[in-house]
Amino acid sequence: MCGILAVLGCVDCSQSKRSRILQLSTRLRHRGPDWSGLHSEEDCFLAHQRLAIVDPASGDQPLYNEDKTIIVTVNGEIYNHKLLREQLKSHKFNTGSDCDVIAHLYEEHGEEFVHMLDGMFSFVLLDTRDNSYIAARDAIGITPLYIGWGLDGSVWFASEMKALSDDCEQFMTFLPGHIYSSKNGGLRRWYNPPWFSERVPSTPYDPLVLRHAFEKAVIKRLMTDVPFGVLLSGGLDSSLVASVASRHLIDSEAYCQWGSQLHTFCVGLKGSPDLVAAKEVADYLGTRHHEFYFTVQEGIDALEEVIYHTETYDVTTIRASTPMFLMSRKIKSLGVKMVLSGEGSDEIFGGYLYFHKAPNKEEFHEETCRKIKALHLFDCLRANKSTSAWGLEARVPFLDKEFINVAMSIDPKWKMIQHDTGRIEKWVLRNAFDDDEKPYLPKHILYRQKEQFSDGVGYSWIDGLKDHANKQVTDSMLTNANFIYPENTPATKEAYYYRTIFEKFFPKNAARLTVPGGPSVACSTAKAVEWDASWSKNLDPSGRAALGVHTAAYKDK
């Protein structure tokens, strides 16, 4: 991950303005500690903080075309860059960076090239020939991007809100799968997959097609010139990522530099479910496994930093981001700069425990679509910002465009939980990797019940957070919360506590509006809360709020 900041159409182009842009870009240096770059062109500034993963020696940014009339600042990875280079043989590339193809694709195709990129990315491109520019974000929003507007008419883009919130009158989350064009004005969607309409698909389930699509997604993400590993919680998703990566590592380019033994990492309170399961998976796969422990107090002590870096007050995100934030610091201290992670599977396959109550396949499918569309506000935000806080890059193979298309084309009747036939959540994925001849995982791991990350690190983690919040927030404060926080009014003391910290760092109303709200149970959308009448009395994002489903569920209030 890198950090980008671009300011276009400034009235003030003085040295003091340049100094201000440089100062603001340093707020992103945690994302890219390896190099800083700034290009200024008349009334435009493009700044970059680089985390070097591919071509560390020569891939510094901003990047240019041959005559330097096109300038690009990019955050992300383009996995098909070698294939794209083959299509651009008439062009001369200045670096070996995977992102170097973007300027040249623009030369060849104009603004209509973004769909050709296979990867995770946010970028701003300046064409000095007519002083126009575009900005774009990847299909799902794996990499973060914000857009803002200054009083002087300038347009700002930044990887994190903290780099533009002080200088912009208004700002918002840049929508995933969209492009902004100064020529055409405003945002338009470039990513239009069949599932986006939420129309129910009818393709029969083929386990081998699904398996091969996921293996391909993992393999392409082994593209790296630096040490890497896998975040392994011992749950289904991260265990499959680790299994596939371990199986195919010897055939990858990474093997030549870093050897055949995969490194895996897990975090939790001592004795937590994840630590136990992850150790078993690591032993089974033969990985070099690293266990990290934290205490409830250490997590509480880190909350302010976590909220500053994740830029949210969403309860679920903060609960899960804190252990991930603490683990990322430990991983970076080992010299590792990139990890694979298992985000996205639960949204695609209906893996959250509340999906047990989906009334029919139509509502099941519509909910998965809603969840994928909102990933950039929740799990993608957490995975990216918790790791990049320490200069660590997280890659998510489940959110591969091609894999999503395959998985979301399956008739949702195959994804539905069926207790009478023994189909638990994510059965289609589990079954696809249930290979008796060459097992990917032990059976009981392959069919382990879903644990949300904030639960799996240790049930006492969430309980400890609630206890701490109860000591910080009085009954009177919560009673009057709607007067203090009329937008997204916190409904619990825990939510109120996180909101006070967030407001300290990001006091503008525009910042508050970047965080979603509404009722949720076990990470559901507000619509899915309607599936079970008892849930409305127990609104908590923990998986244990799925009453009658989770084996360690909360008691019905």
Side-chain angles (χ1 to χ4, degrees):
M1 285 298 108
C2 303
I4 65 173
L5 172 63
V7 186
L8 304 118
C10 298
V11 172
D12 177 10
C13 305
S14 64
Q15 180 61 41
S16 62
K17 186 66 173 183
R18 179 185 176 92
S19 299
R20 177 59 178 165
I21 302 300
L22 283 169
Q23 179 190 27
L24 292 172
S25 72
T26 62
R27 296 184 183 181
L28 303 174
R29 186 158 292 167
H30 53 276
R31 300 184 61 87
D34 297 333
W35 182 257
S36 301
L38 174 65
H39 179 95
S40 58
E41 186 80 26
E42 296 182 0
D43 59 352
C44 300
F45 299 87
L46 278 73
H48 191 267
Q49 301 287 341
R50 187 186 186 207
L51 178 66
I53 303 291
V54 176
D55 187 23
S58 68
D60 296 334
Q61 295 193 36
L63 297 165
Y64 304 87
N65 65 336
E66 292 92 336
D67 61 7
K68 295 194 172 184
T69 55
I70 298 170
I71 305 101
V72 186
T73 180
V74 194
N75 168 32
E77 304 292 343
I78 309 301
Y79 302 121
N80 64 335
H81 73 105
K82 290 185 178 180
L83 177 64
L84 293 172
R85 283 172 185 259
E86 287 295 311
Q87 300 171 15
L88 296 164
K89 284 188 174 179
S90 62
H91 292 256
K92 180 182 178 181
F93 294 91
N94 298 313
T95 78
S97 169
D98 52 291
C99 296
D100 209 354
V101 297
I102 293 176
H104 303 280
L105 286 170
Y106 174 80
E107 278 191 295
E108 287 288 329
H109 304 283
E111 296 180 358
E112 306 304 322
F113 73 91
V114 183
H115 68 280
M116 301 170 67
L117 301 174
D118 182 7
M120 55 178 184
F121 54 84
S122 301
F123 68 82
V124 179
L125 180 151
L126 174 64
D127 186 343
T128 63
R129 296 171 300 185
D130 58 5
N131 207 34
S132 65
Y133 59 87
I134 61 172
R137 190 178 183 188
D138 66 64
I140 305 299
I142 302 167
T143 61
L145 189 65
Y146 294 84
I147 180 173
W149 295 268
L151 287 172
D152 62 351
S154 57
V155 182
W156 295 56
F157 302 93
S159 295
E160 294 184 6
M161 189 164 57
K162 58 182 66 67
L164 54 70
S165 58
D166 289 348
D167 291 64
C168 289
E169 190 67 15
Q170 289 292 336
F171 51 90
M172 57 179 273
T173 301
F174 192 104
L175 295 173
H178 279 70
I179 181 173
Y180 180 95
S181 168
S182 65
K183 290 179 181 176
N184 300 320
L187 289 161
R188 70 178 188 273
R189 171 168 285 281
W190 65 264
Y191 178 58
N192 293 287
W195 63 266
F196 205 84
S197 68
E198 301 184 11
R199 190 179 301 112
V200 178
S202 58
T203 304
Y205 167 56
D206 187 328
L208 289 182
V209 169
L210 188 65
R211 181 198 294 184
H212 294 154
F214 183 66
E215 288 187 311
K216 186 178 177 181
V218 173
I219 292 167
K220 73 175 67 168
R221 282 160 180 79
L222 298 178
M223 176 188 81
T224 178
D225 292 327
V226 298
F228 73 101
V230 175
L231 303 185
L232 177 60
S233 70
L236 173 68
D237 307 328
S238 65
S239 297
L240 283 179
V241 173
S243 179
V244 174
S246 183
R247 184 171 292 203
H248 293 281
L249 181 58
I250 196 168
D251 299 318
S252 71
E253 293 180 8
Y255 167 75
C256 301
Q257 294 190 66
W258 312 112
S260 60
Q261 189 174 33
L262 187 70
H263 287 255
T264 51
F265 310 95
C266 186
V267 67
L269 306 177
K270 286 197 173 182
S272 67
D274 280 2
L275 288 175
V276 175
K279 179 67 164 61
E280 184 177 359
V281 174
D283 289 344
Y284 181 81
L285 298 176
T287 69
R288 178 78 178 274
H289 191 56
H290 308 264
E291 283 188 352
F292 304 120
Y293 310 104
F294 76 103
T295 65
V296 172
Q297 187 58 54
E298 286 171 337
I300 289 170
D301 291 342
L303 283 174
E304 289 210 5
E305 277 190 281
V306 169
I307 292 171
Y308 173 75
H309 281 288
T310 58
E311 302 179 321
T312 186
Y313 50 83
D314 175 67
V315 171
T316 312
T317 304
I318 294 167
R319 288 176 176 178
S321 293
T322 305
M324 198 170 194
F325 174 86
L326 296 171
M327 174 172 56
S328 297
R329 186 176 192 179
K330 293 281 192 179
I331 293 172
K332 187 61 185 292
S333 72
L334 298 175
V336 172
K337 297 176 74 173
M338 185 273 282
V339 291
L340 304 184
S341 192
E343 279 75 17
S345 172
D346 291 314
E347 287 74 14
I348 295 168
F349 296 105
Y352 293 109
L353 297 185
Y354 72 89
F355 276 95
H356 280 246
K357 300 295 182 76
N360 52 60
K361 73 175 189 178
E362 289 79 15
E363 290 201 46
F364 188 105
H365 179 72
E366 289 166 5
E367 176 71 359
T368 60
C369 294
R370 288 191 293 265
K371 291 293 290 181
I372 296 171
K373 292 175 183 178
L375 268 168
H376 67 290
L377 300 170
F378 298 104
D379 285 32
C380 287
L381 180 148
R382 166 183 55 79
N384 182 283
K385 293 182 179 179
S386 298
T387 53
S388 63
W390 300 106
L392 182 67
E393 176 175 285
R395 297 180 180 176
V396 282
F398 280 107
L399 297 181
D400 180 83
K401 279 195 301 182
E402 185 178 340
F403 177 74
I404 293 176
N405 286 340
V406 170
M408 292 301 290
S409 69
I410 299 171
D411 188 325
K413 73 179 182 181
W414 292 96
K415 297 180 183 179
M416 292 278 287
I417 291 88
Q418 297 179 9
H419 298 287
D420 55 338
T421 60
R423 288 188 188 174
I424 63 172
E425 67 277 355
K426 292 189 287 195
W427 178 84
V428 292
L429 181 62
R430 300 175 196 271
N431 182 66
F433 286 90
D434 195 346
D435 188 331
D436 289 329
E437 291 186 10
K438 294 182 179 180
Y440 285 80
L441 293 168
K443 289 275 189 183
H444 63 282
I445 294 293
L446 195 60
Y447 290 93
R448 181 190 177 197
Q449 186 181 59
K450 164 66 184 172
E451 286 281 16
Q452 288 169 212
F453 184 56
S454 52
D455 288 325
V457 296
Y459 296 145
S460 59
W461 166 233
I462 291 178
D463 298 337
L465 287 173
K466 290 180 177 180
D467 290 343
H468 178 70
N470 286 339
K471 295 172 185 174
Q472 308 301 315
V473 180
T474 66
D475 292 342
S476 177
M477 291 165 70
L478 188 60
T479 299
N480 295 315
N482 61 313
F483 299 109
I484 305 299
Y485 303 121
E487 303 92 2
N488 280 350
T489 304
T492 66
K493 290 185 177 181
E494 185 185 5
Y496 191 106
Y497 179 58
Y498 299 154
R499 185 65 172 271
T500 60
I501 298 173
F502 177 88
E503 295 277 342
K504 181 169 65 174
F505 295 124
F506 308 106
K508 289 187 176 180
N509 191 54
R512 298 178 197 114
L513 297 178
T514 63
V515 183
S520 174
V521 62
C523 285
S524 74
T525 65
K527 177 67 176 174
V529 173
E530 301 171 7
W531 291 351
D532 191 309
S534 67
W535 288 349
S536 62
K537 298 179 289 184
N538 197 56
L539 293 173
D540 190 287
S542 167
R544 288 183 291 161
L547 304 177
V549 179
H550 197 291
T551 55
Y554 296 136
K555 292 181 180 179
D556 191 341
K557 295 177 183 177

